[in-house]
Amino acid sequence: MKSPLCRKLANAAQIALIGSTRFPQIQRDIMPQNSRNSNQEKHLVLWDGDCGFCRRSVQWLEKHDRYGHLRFEPNQTADISPELREKCRGAVHVIKADGEILRAGRAMLFCGQQTRWHQLARIAGWPIFLPFVEIGYGIIAKNRMFFSKFLFRP
């Protein structure tokens, strides 16, 4: 007989893997509305155009974007406010089609939800894992040159 905690964890894992109306914001983000969207309906990903690691990461995401929902622009050339441009220096940002702004680890999880690894990104976005995602993002962002030797190599 399973303990109540084991049942809750198993239920949460099953819901995350198959989707549920209990997580409508996540499900809405990964479900295709059309096979291809216009630029107005796409989510804008702002990244550091001077960073080779970032460039290779963006190339990987462009290749694996399942529905064409992501539009990528270097933050140096994007038409954004000076305040947002300053914030973009420290972390990747996503401006969703509805205007919501995501940054750092949450922005990368959102991008991951647009790929075929959407289930992994969804699980990593659970509240119990989210602090570790943000810490990991911070470590990688501060040491991009080191990690570029190992990750997203051409």
Side-chain angles (χ1 to χ4, degrees):
M1 189 164 157
K2 290 184 180 178
S3 71
L5 178 60
C6 288
R7 281 194 302 268
K8 286 181 181 178
L9 288 174
N11 186 34
Q14 182 180 17
I15 289 169
L17 291 175
I18 62 173
S20 169
T21 56
R22 290 176 58 185
F23 301 108
Q25 72 282 0
I26 294 172
Q27 197 170 23
R28 182 182 66 242
D29 293 341
I30 65 169
M31 299 303 289
Q33 295 169 359
N34 298 326
S35 60
R36 289 283 171 193
N37 283 337
S38 69
N39 277 346
Q40 287 83 12
E41 297 171 345
K42 290 187 177 190
H43 310 290
L44 176 61
V45 180
L46 300 168
W47 56 284
D48 183 359
D50 297 330
C51 169
F53 178 78
C54 302
R55 185 177 308 109
R56 290 191 300 272
S57 301
V58 164
Q59 289 170 347
W60 185 90
L61 283 167
E62 285 177 326
K63 180 179 176 184
H64 292 91
D65 183 5
R66 294 184 304 163
Y67 305 112
H69 287 180
L70 300 175
R71 182 170 55 105
F72 300 91
E73 277 192 48
N75 63 46
Q76 293 87 346
T77 60
D79 184 22
I80 56 176
S81 69
E83 296 85 23
L84 182 57
R85 189 177 316 280
E86 183 65 32
K87 290 179 182 178
C88 287
R89 287 185 180 172
V92 66
H93 281 63
V94 173
I95 302 175
K96 293 172 54 175
D98 65 5
E100 180 183 359
I101 298 176
L102 305 172
R103 69 175 304 276
R106 290 171 196 220
M108 292 311 299
L109 286 175
F110 179 81
C111 290
Q113 289 173 356
Q114 309 305 314
T115 70
R116 68 178 184 190
W117 291 277
H118 59 92
Q119 293 174 335
L120 180 61
R122 198 178 336 168
I123 291 170
W126 287 358
I128 194 166
F129 298 124
L130 201 50
F132 299 106
V133 169
E134 293 293 345
I135 290 168
Y137 179 90
I139 291 169
I140 291 174
K142 288 179 184 168
N143 300 290
R144 291 182 284 189
M145 295 307 146
F146 173 76
F147 284 106
S148 67
K149 297 175 184 175
F150 308 105
L151 300 173
F152 299 109
R153 294 181 54 106

